[in-house]
Amino acid sequence: MAPLPALVVAALAAAVHLLTGPSSSGGKSMSTDLIRWAVAAFPAMAAAECTVLAVLAVHGLQSLRARRRHDA
C-alpha cells in the first residue's frame, strides 16, 4: 500500500495534463512529460516513503515492547 499515493498523484498529473491541452514542451508526448515529472518529484516521494516506513517501524517496536511488558 505504500506506493498508492505516488500512483494517485501520477494519475492526477495525467488527468491535469489531458485537461489542460497540448503540452508546452514543443509537441512531446504526455508519457515524456510524465516521466520528467516523476524524475523531478522522486526525491520528495522517496523522502515521504522513508518517513512512513520509519513511523511504522517505531510503532511496531513500541507495540512489541508493550506486548512483552504485558506478558511479563
Side-chain angles (χ1 to χ4, degrees):
M1 280 188 15
L4 182 61
L7 294 175
V8 170
V9 171
L12 288 173
V16 167
H17 183 78
L18 288 173
L19 292 174
T20 57
S23 113
S24 60
S25 58
K28 293 183 180 163
S29 69
M30 180 176 70
S31 61
T32 303
D33 289 341
L34 289 177
I35 289 170
R36 286 185 181 189
W37 170 83
V39 168
F42 179 77
M45 286 192 286
E49 295 291 335
C50 289
T51 302
V52 168
L53 292 174
V55 168
L56 290 174
V58 168
H59 181 66
L61 289 173
Q62 287 176 345
S63 294
L64 185 61
R65 286 182 185 166
R67 211 176 308 153
R68 284 184 182 170
R69 283 187 205 144
H70 184 267
D71 291 339

